[in-house]
Amino acid sequence: MASKKKVSASVEPVQGYVEGVAKSLVDRIYGPNGLPWGTRLTELEDVILAVRQTLTEEMLKQALQRQAQTNSDRPEPYRGCPGCQGPVEPRPDPEPRNVQTRVGEAEWDEPNEYCRKCRQAFFPSEQESGD
Ligand SMILES: [Zn+2]
């Protein structure tokens, strides 16, 4: 898992962009005067939670789907079977993945592979074998 320092360093370059997106979202959702008078704070919270969920799930999907598309070019340490490090056979079609993460549901398509020795199919993005 990435350390907090490492995470901050990867987010820092886009911090200004994210702040601009937040400003733009408030403009688009509420207009130039912001939250209409009389709106309850819980209503604002609900809108923000919905936006956050969309952003989160789209980022999960984009990051994982793009990684899956580079499957055949993955570096050497990630090429073997996660169980025995032996050779694996690619399977023809990507399969839909659906994983519950700490920040929401991740959905993407990923090619899986098979190890004859372990008699296990697995997804290259996972450290542990499974099916
Ligand atoms: Zn194996």
Side-chain angles (χ1 to χ4, degrees):
M1 188 178 291
S3 70
K4 192 163 191 167
K5 191 173 186 179
K6 190 178 171 187
V7 170
S8 318
S10 55
V11 172
E12 194 181 281
V14 296
Q15 187 68 39
Y17 173 75
V18 173
E19 288 168 10
V21 169
K23 184 177 177 224
S24 175
L25 284 167
V26 169
D27 281 345
R28 288 173 187 231
I29 294 170
Y30 296 114
N33 296 328
L35 196 65
W37 287 102
T39 308
R40 299 174 61 92
L41 189 57
T42 55
E43 293 174 53
L44 175 61
E45 287 175 326
D46 289 343
V47 169
I48 293 171
L49 284 171
V51 168
R52 195 160 77 176
Q53 184 176 1
T54 300
L55 177 69
T56 300
E57 291 182 355
E58 194 58 30
M59 282 187 74
L60 286 166
K61 180 180 183 165
Q62 291 285 333
L64 292 162
Q65 186 71 63
R66 290 184 198 187
Q67 181 191 55
Q69 285 164 354
T70 66
N71 187 43
S72 57
D73 301 326
R74 67 188 190 274
E76 190 56 44
Y78 305 101
R79 286 182 174 265
C81 167
C84 67
Q85 323 309 318
V88 295
E89 298 170 9
R91 290 192 156 171
D93 297 316
E95 286 190 22
R97 301 287 313 273
N98 188 312
V99 176
Q100 197 60 43
T101 74
R102 287 184 298 139
V103 292
E105 197 170 7
E107 289 184 300
W108 76 106
D109 294 323
E110 183 174 348
N112 64 40
E113 300 188 328
Y114 185 78
C115 176
R116 284 188 182 277
K117 187 178 169 191
C118 299
R119 295 181 173 190
Q120 287 267 13
F122 64 92
F123 290 101
S125 68
E126 285 180 353
Q127 298 297 312
E128 296 167 23
S129 57
D131 52 8

